[in-house]
Amino acid sequence: MSVPKHDIQKPLVCSGHSRPVPFVAYSKWNESDDSFFAISACLDGKAMLRIGKTGDWIGTFLGHKGAVWGVDINDDATLAITGSADYTAKIWDATTGDEKHSFEHKRIVKTVGFSPDATKIVTGGQESLIRIYDINKPENEPSILKGHEGVIRRVLWHSEHSLLSAGADGIVRLWDLRTPEKPVHSTNLGADVRDLSLSAGQSPGDASKTHRPTLVCAAGNDISFVSLSELKLKQKHKLSFQPTTVAFNEQCNRFVTAGGNFSAKVFDADSGKALEAHKGHHGPVHCARFAPDLKTYATASEDGTIRLWQTEICDYGLWVVNPAQ
């Protein structure tokens, strides 16, 4: 991928929500038909499913009685999960919008995620507990992981048997579900971890078939790059603001973050140099994520919208750079 251009971008604006949008997630990219899907959480209590390339609305998941804070969608976009302030996490049929099961919690559910094979889900939130449910046996009691102090802001399923988690206590934890009594590794970032994500793509010079993504974290004023093997700090960039989110594209070696004002910012991952600032939102940006084809990224905001930006400005989807005269 060539170096992204720094021209002023015209994002695609995805409207429909009536309150702040705290999170957005993508399905896997189906290369055979060049399709993928996006799902968004909203404090209006409604999660929405969209066409990933264009942001066009497909449907709304109705059933929560409180704000929806966390969402995820499985690889083939047949199942969705939502976590809510109504103390539940819900599984949905993403093709029909029907609720399949509701999992009761004792406090607000802030973050949710599917296992790689979509047979289990993980939840976290204000209880400071990580819960793991078997989708095929929803009546069973969940497995519970303990150790966090304070709200859990993000849980990520890393592999079949491992999870990553982080939150207000400032500690990133790596769990092996075969030995769930305590995390196998942890690292203290020294400040509230606002976001946690795995890098997308693969650097052009890395042809390894066993490529391992990098963990990126937004905590305090820092963006930290952490190895997945032992949670060792690889690199850290101190910003002039407190980032609320971070997404890292290894293919172009850039990360997107936001915080401090209403713009999304793009930085070089090696030097930490600011490259782009994209304005358009009318409120703070809460989440940024790269699409699975790496050609765009989404930002979700307090203003109730999602905006899609191009990694490199070109003809793509609904964007036409040089229309015929």
Side-chain angles (χ1 to χ4, degrees), residues 35-262:
S35 68
F36 55 90
F37 299 88
I39 186 172
S40 55
C42 185
L43 303 194
D44 62 8
K46 303 170 184 176
M48 288 188 176
L49 184 67
R50 299 177 183 274
I51 296 173
K53 290 183 71 172
T54 63
D56 289 339
W57 176 84
I58 296 174
T60 302
F61 299 99
L62 301 174
H64 280 295
K65 297 179 180 179
V68 176
W69 284 97
V71 289
D72 197 16
I73 188 167
N74 68 338
D75 284 352
D76 62 4
T78 57
L79 294 173
I81 179 175
T82 52
S84 172
D86 64 8
Y87 298 4
T88 68
K90 294 180 184 291
I91 292 285
W92 309 82
D93 184 323
T95 61
T96 65
D98 295 333
E99 180 183 323
K100 294 175 68 70
H101 195 81
S102 184
F103 300 94
E104 298 291 330
H105 292 65
K106 295 181 179 179
R107 297 193 67 186
I108 293 172
V109 182
K110 286 278 193 175
T111 178
V112 294
F114 280 106
S115 63
D117 61 2
T119 61
K120 296 180 176 64
I121 63 168
V122 60
T123 68
Q126 289 191 345
E127 284 185 86
S128 306
L129 300 175
I130 297 170
R131 285 183 167 86
I132 301 164
Y133 296 89
D134 188 333
I135 295 177
N136 297 319
K137 299 177 181 178
E139 70 281 357
N140 288 2
E141 289 297 312
S143 302
I144 296 179
L145 308 181
K146 301 179 180 180
H148 278 283
E149 298 178 2
V151 63
I152 297 173
R153 301 198 187 280
R154 198 72 67 231
V155 287
L156 296 174
W157 218 295
H158 167 225
S159 66
E160 179 184 1
H161 299 294
S162 62
L163 288 171
L164 294 152
S165 62
D169 62 10
I171 300 175
V172 180
R173 293 171 169 86
L174 174 64
W175 306 84
D176 188 326
L177 302 184
R178 294 163 295 191
T179 55
E181 296 79 13
K182 62 180 182 179
V184 292
H185 295 292
S186 64
T187 186
N188 192 338
L189 297 181
D192 184 355
V193 181
R194 302 295 301 276
D195 196 16
L196 197 69
S197 66
L198 295 175
S199 60
Q202 192 168 338
S203 64
D206 184 358
S208 171
K209 293 183 179 180
T210 58
H211 171 74
R212 185 184 291 262
T214 296
L215 181 66
V216 285
C217 316
N221 281 72
D222 299 331
I223 298 296
S224 299
F225 296 74
V226 179
S227 69
L228 280 176
S229 56
E230 297 181 352
L231 294 188
K232 298 294 186 182
L233 183 66
K234 297 167 62 178
Q235 191 175 25
K236 181 168 67 175
H237 297 303
K238 185 169 291 294
L239 306 181
S240 61
F241 57 90
Q242 291 190 338
T244 55
T245 184
V246 62
F248 175 35
N249 183 338
E250 284 196 56
Q251 197 170 73
C252 64
N253 201 39
R254 283 155 170 74
F255 65 89
V256 180
T257 186
N261 57 31
F262 301 168

